[in-house]
Amino acid sequence: ETATPTMAEKIFKSKMEFLGGISVPVLYFIFVLRFTGKEKFLSKKHIFSYFIIPIITFVLMLTNENHNLIWSGFSSIYADTNLMEYYHGFFFWVGYVAYSYFLLVIATLHLFRFILLHKKSFRTQGWIILIGGILPWSVSIFYLLGINVTPGMDITPASITISGILMIYAIFHTRFLDL
């Protein structure tokens, strides 16, 4: 997105990136429910219901030009950096931020409970998952509050990469997901 020269192309790429952004919190939530043994919340009906708000958000994002509910506007930050600032609309805060953070809070509570109730090896795995989940969450908060080194630059995707590295560490060193 940063390397894209025109505003229209940047917006298009942001829309494609958004698909991952709205699905990752739901997938993380489902993963935590499975990891912590909350199978009763993982029926097909439950899983579909977890995706209703992200689907609505994605449709609104695709049609944003008609209502500005996701992004209310855009502007260039500096011509030298080729970065663009996105002004967030009402449904961005409700359908994306509030819902994602709600799922992350519930997942975190399940993980804390799991960590407190299980043996050391499972506790270590729980801590790694917790840290791996909180890292992108906290970086995202900094972006949403406008606290970043480069204005307009969202480094949340980079923090998800670091979370992935933590998961790789857990797989190879704590027998995480070992069947």
Side-chain angles (χ1 to χ4, degrees), residues 9-116:
E9 289 174 319
K10 287 178 184 299
I11 293 168
F12 174 76
K13 288 187 178 181
S14 291
K15 287 180 177 184
M16 295 305 104
E17 292 170 11
F18 210 75
L19 184 57
I22 60 174
S23 60
V24 166
V26 178
L27 296 171
Y28 177 75
F29 178 70
I30 292 168
F31 174 78
V32 167
L33 289 175
R34 183 154 325 262
F35 178 77
T36 58
K38 306 292 183 200
E39 302 293 327
K40 66 182 177 183
F41 300 110
L42 293 171
S43 69
K44 287 181 182 180
K45 182 175 78 172
H46 281 102
I47 290 173
F48 177 75
S49 70
Y50 302 146
F51 280 100
I52 290 174
I53 292 177
I55 289 169
I56 292 168
T57 304
F58 189 66
V59 169
L60 288 174
M61 187 270 313
L62 288 175
T63 60
N64 187 68
E65 293 78 18
N66 300 323
H67 46 69
N68 296 325
L69 289 172
I70 302 297
W71 295 306
S72 59
F74 315 91
S75 69
S76 296
I77 297 176
Y78 303 112
D80 298 345
T81 63
N82 195 30
L83 292 174
M84 190 168 82
E85 188 167 4
Y86 295 78
Y87 302 106
H88 302 113
F90 174 75
F91 210 81
F92 174 86
W93 297 107
V94 173
Y96 178 60
V97 175
Y99 184 68
S100 296
Y101 283 78
F102 172 75
L103 291 178
L104 291 168
V105 166
I106 300 300
T108 300
L109 294 173
H110 282 297
L111 279 171
F112 269 132
R113 185 173 186 275
F114 178 86
I115 289 166
L116 294 173

Side-chain angles (χ1 to χ4, degrees), residues 101-136:
Y101 283 78
F102 172 75
L103 291 178
L104 291 168
V105 166
I106 300 300
T108 300
L109 294 173
H110 282 297
L111 279 171
F112 269 132
R113 185 173 186 275
F114 178 86
I115 289 166
L116 294 173
L117 297 176
H118 285 80
K119 295 180 182 177
K120 186 179 189 284
S121 62
F122 290 115
R123 227 180 271 153
T124 302
Q125 293 173 0
W127 278 112
I128 291 171
I129 295 168
L130 183 65
I131 293 166
I134 288 178
L135 182 64

